[in-house]
Amino acid sequence: MEQRIGSSSEPLKGEPVKGAGFDPAYIPGLTAPAAEPRDAGPQDAVPQDAPEPAGGTPGDPTAGAATDEPADRAAAPPDGPVFEAGDRRAKFAADHRGVRLSLDEESCEFGWDEIAAVETESPRFGKRFTITVHTPERRWYPIEIEAPARSSFKQWESELDAVLDAYFEEGSA
């Protein structure tokens, strides 16, 4: 006679496993947002009954002059501190938009609201400067940058501190 443990013969069901090992999009900033699939038809076609754009005809060079002005202001960086450091493989950049890390072909970007802390470490010996971005989900993203000289460490730390003082609000994440 066969004996079964449990009250039913159905397999156990639980919540699906979540995490970076199963879904790379689980880590914010690691992958780019998914692009929407394009249809086979032309995307830029304007229906015949569509209203004419406010700036004039589509071929007119002044066609969007009034509407492009706010976009130009949004694209232009505000007057504020910017920090960039990099070597032949790694790059770190921080400005009004947030922090960007890149190593070889891989890169990730964090907005200021996605950052819990930014930590720097300069070695006692050597020229590898480490910057670590910590997120509220208790994940950290370190990057090591080889400095041209050890004297760069103090300059980099002061420039990064100026950016953090200007844009990073402690406790905002």
Side-chain angles (χ1 to χ4, degrees):
M1 180 163 200
E2 194 175 296
Q3 192 174 24
R4 291 191 176 176
I5 299 176
S7 61
S8 71
S9 61
E10 294 181 26
L12 294 174
K13 294 183 181 178
E15 289 189 34
V17 178
K18 294 180 183 176
F22 297 97
D23 181 14
Y26 185 75
I27 302 173
L30 185 61
T31 60
E36 293 183 18
R38 299 194 116 213
D39 293 336
Q43 292 292 323
D44 296 330
V46 178
Q48 295 296 332
D49 59 343
E52 187 175 312
T57 61
D60 186 9
T62 62
T67 58
D68 287 343
E69 187 177 329
D72 289 341
R73 266 190 262 134
D79 294 333
V82 174
F83 172 71
E84 290 186 3
D87 60 16
R88 59 185 171 82
R89 293 186 60 206
K91 183 177 180 184
F92 179 91
D95 58 16
H96 68 284
R97 294 181 295 168
V99 170
R100 287 167 306 287
L101 307 169
S102 63
L103 179 65
D104 296 330
E105 298 87 37
E106 301 297 323
S107 64
C108 60
E109 184 171 341
F110 301 94
W112 290 113
D113 59 337
E114 298 175 301
I115 298 174
V118 176
E119 177 183 22
T120 62
E121 182 181 347
S122 51
R124 187 170 177 188
F125 303 105
K127 297 190 293 184
R128 308 274 317 156
F129 187 71
T130 304
I131 303 172
T132 306
V133 176
H134 296 270
T135 63
E137 294 87 28
R138 296 183 183 223
R139 297 199 182 275
W140 60 93
Y141 303 87
I143 192 160
E144 288 186 341
I145 300 170
E146 188 169 341
R150 289 186 49 83
S151 61
S152 302
F153 294 161
K154 285 188 180 187
Q155 177 189 355
W156 285 356
E157 285 187 1
S158 66
E159 288 176 9
L160 181 58
D161 283 343
V163 172
L164 294 174
D165 288 343
Y167 304 116
F168 180 67
E169 296 179 19
E170 231 175 302
S172 66

